[in-house]
Amino acid sequence: MKYKLHTDIAFAGISHHNSDISELEKFRFEEETEILNDAREHFKGVVLLQTCNRIEIFVQGDAESLKKYLKEKGRTGFWIKEGCEALKHLLYLAAGMDSMIVGEDQILGQLRKALALSQEKGTSCPVLDLCITKAVHAGIEVRKRTNINNGAVSIGSAAVKLAEELIGTLSGKHILVVGGGEMGKLVAQALSAKELTAIYVTNRTFNRAKLLAEEIGGKAVMMDELYHYISLSDVVISCTGAPHPVIKAEPLTDALDKIRWPLDETKRPLILIDIAQPRDIEEKVKEIESVKLFTIDDLKSVSDENMKLRRKEAENAEKYLLEEHRQFISLINRAAANEPLADLHTWAEAIRVRERDRAVSRIGKTQYSVSEVIDDLTKVLVKKLLSDATIAVRGCAESGDIRSAENLVLAITRGKTCTRKEDLED
């Protein structure tokens, strides 16, 4: 059976699958609230998801309009999905099937956060609320039913694994974590299992760095001591939410020169891993002698290994998601009946009030008890009158036949059916 979605839904964006870190940076929307408010002028609803390795925009609207809108905003190279394919993508996304690190859990929180911001700014809509809430629920359930996230590494722990591969072992090393947010916490937790000599944590808000350092047995340092502690470290993993680089080439060069002993022929090697988006570390840092800079693009080897380990679980997850996809389509189609049903009930309420007022005027102003009886009677009458019609409209929508649902409401409210050519062709 071929399923069809009868509500305009379109998603577009770029991710680690088809773009590198520089392309992600160019595509990113710096002012999320601004773009949400602007897009809301063009679509019934809009939600924006921006993570370290993907930028996606979800709208209730058609794909061509979304494509045109993004091009007007100077965005190119994006994929676009609509209808049932868009819903399937959202399910796979929430399940961690589309993530760089297959099965990772962070995407669930990121989807919730994106929806919460959209709701707070008034740019979401009932259809997108339902889409994302349903997808998150499915994502939680698929993790319960399969082992897709058992031992799954996050981007943060993948960065730690990369550092370990690059220098052989982290045992006895000094590591600096720049950033005390969600990603910084994941990095720090992964590092706490290693036999390090020291873990330093710094953040723009010192109290947050202090709390994280206490949790993992590390040392919190002030942000204005950043370069000093970089110079003391073997590895630096940076993951702040800053809109601009926090580690720059010139002050880093000065800091590294200060710790060089007079008889040293070469500088001690330093590994910098930047998993922030936008990037935390200036590209020019690569030019510094003995400094090696790595970004999210370099984590793909860890992702490939992760995928091999989870391929069987991914197959089990896919079976569940296919069934969820069918139910998802039915759910969204059913919800599509809400607008025509609202029209139906508004129409019926208008009739109820009109007939009640006529009856009251005939009875007389002194007969309040009679007017109350009539008011109750008309309410019950309308409710029973619309009961069967409501079931019929929802049934049409749930089966994917929203056009018949709309025609039924038109037939009731206007005494005629819709006879547009495109309707007849359906």
Side-chain angles (χ1 to χ4, degrees), residues 362-388:
R362 288 197 299 268
I363 292 170
K365 295 181 179 180
T366 60
Q367 304 297 322
Y368 293 110
S369 60
V370 176
S371 67
E372 290 171 3
V373 170
I374 292 176
D375 189 52
D376 290 341
L377 174 64
T378 55
K379 285 181 179 178
V380 171
L381 181 63
V382 168
K383 185 176 180 181
K384 289 188 175 181
L385 179 67
L386 296 181
S387 177
D388 289 344

Side-chain angles (χ1 to χ4, degrees), residues 281-326:
I281 304 175
E282 269 189 341
E283 188 75 13
K284 287 175 64 178
V285 163
K286 282 184 175 180
E287 300 170 10
I288 302 174
E289 181 188 353
S290 78
V291 173
K292 301 293 182 183
L293 175 61
F294 300 87
T295 67
I296 289 173
D297 291 338
D298 299 299
L299 299 182
K300 288 181 179 176
S301 60
V302 179
S303 172
D304 291 341
E305 182 182 338
N306 174 262
M307 187 65 222
K308 289 175 186 175
L309 295 172
R310 288 172 177 75
R311 198 169 298 280
K312 181 62 180 176
E313 294 305 321
E315 290 174 6
N316 295 333
E318 190 162 14
K319 292 175 185 176
Y320 168 75
L321 292 175
L322 287 173
E323 179 56 35
E324 282 294 293
H325 186 226
R326 288 190 284 269

Side-chain angles (χ1 to χ4, degrees), residues 43-319:
F43 305 99
K44 288 184 177 180
V46 56
V47 175
L48 178 64
L49 174 69
Q50 297 198 118
T51 73
C52 59
N53 56 20
R54 72 174 65 248
I55 297 124
E56 299 189 16
I57 185 167
F58 312 144
V59 303
Q60 184 180 0
D62 64 272
E64 281 304 313
S65 296
L66 179 55
K67 186 187 297 184
K68 180 182 177 183
Y69 178 77
L70 288 175
K71 286 184 176 179
E72 287 174 353
K73 295 297 174 184
R75 300 317 194 263
T76 58
F78 53 87
W79 51 259
I80 193 157
K81 300 177 187 293
E82 62 181 328
C84 295
E85 279 302 306
L87 294 184
K88 184 177 180 181
H89 167 73
L90 186 55
L91 283 174
Y92 277 59
L93 178 62
M97 299 277 284
D98 195 61
S99 298
M100 177 182 286
I101 307 300
V102 175
E104 55 92 4
D105 297 331
Q106 286 68 51
I107 188 62
L108 294 171
Q110 290 161 345
L111 281 168
R112 287 192 186 105
K113 185 178 178 181
L115 178 59
L117 177 63
S118 182
Q119 290 172 332
E120 179 189 332
K121 302 304 178 184
T123 67
S124 189
C125 62
V127 169
L128 290 182
D129 289 352
L130 182 60
C131 282
I132 296 177
T133 301
K134 169 65 176 174
V136 168
H137 173 78
I140 293 170
E141 188 64 24
V142 79
R143 287 169 173 82
K144 291 179 181 177
R145 292 174 178 239
T146 72
N147 293 318
I148 193 168
N149 66 331
N150 276 17
V153 291
S154 63
I155 294 292
S157 55
V160 173
K161 187 172 182 181
L162 175 63
E164 199 164 27
E165 290 175 356
L166 291 169
I167 60 177
T169 178
L170 296 181
S171 179
K173 304 298 183 183
H174 293 68
I175 311 286
L176 170 63
V177 179
V178 184
E182 181 185 357
M183 193 65 75
K185 187 173 183 179
L186 292 169
V187 170
Q189 287 171 341
L191 286 170
S192 65
K194 308 297 179 182
E195 296 179 357
L196 301 170
T197 297
I199 304 177
Y200 308 120
V201 180
T202 188
N203 189 69
R204 187 67 62 187
T205 305
F206 181 69
N207 283 341
R208 181 174 286 185
K210 191 175 179 182
L211 287 172
L212 181 53
E214 288 173 355
E215 184 180 327
I216 61 169
K219 177 182 178 180
V221 300
M222 300 293 289
M223 199 66 171
D224 57 11
E225 297 181 285
L226 173 65
Y227 292 101
H228 172 67
Y229 280 92
I230 290 177
S231 69
L232 298 180
S233 301
D234 299 288
V235 177
V236 177
I237 301 178
S238 194
C239 47
T240 78
H244 48 71
V246 295
I247 299 175
K248 299 184 178 181
E250 188 174 337
L252 179 58
T253 301
D254 292 342
L256 294 177
D257 283 342
K258 287 177 183 177
I259 64 161
R260 183 174 176 178
W261 292 97
L263 298 180
D264 286 348
E265 294 183 3
T266 59
K267 293 181 180 178
R268 182 163 54 86
L270 172 65
I271 292 173
L272 303 178
I273 301 177
D274 186 353
I275 55 174
Q277 181 55 242
R279 283 181 279 191
D280 276 345
I281 304 175
E282 269 189 341
E283 188 75 13
K284 287 175 64 178
V285 163
K286 282 184 175 180
E287 300 170 10
I288 302 174
E289 181 188 353
S290 78
V291 173
K292 301 293 182 183
L293 175 61
F294 300 87
T295 67
I296 289 173
D297 291 338
D298 299 299
L299 299 182
K300 288 181 179 176
S301 60
V302 179
S303 172
D304 291 341
E305 182 182 338
N306 174 262
M307 187 65 222
K308 289 175 186 175
L309 295 172
R310 288 172 177 75
R311 198 169 298 280
K312 181 62 180 176
E313 294 305 321
E315 290 174 6
N316 295 333
E318 190 162 14
K319 292 175 185 176

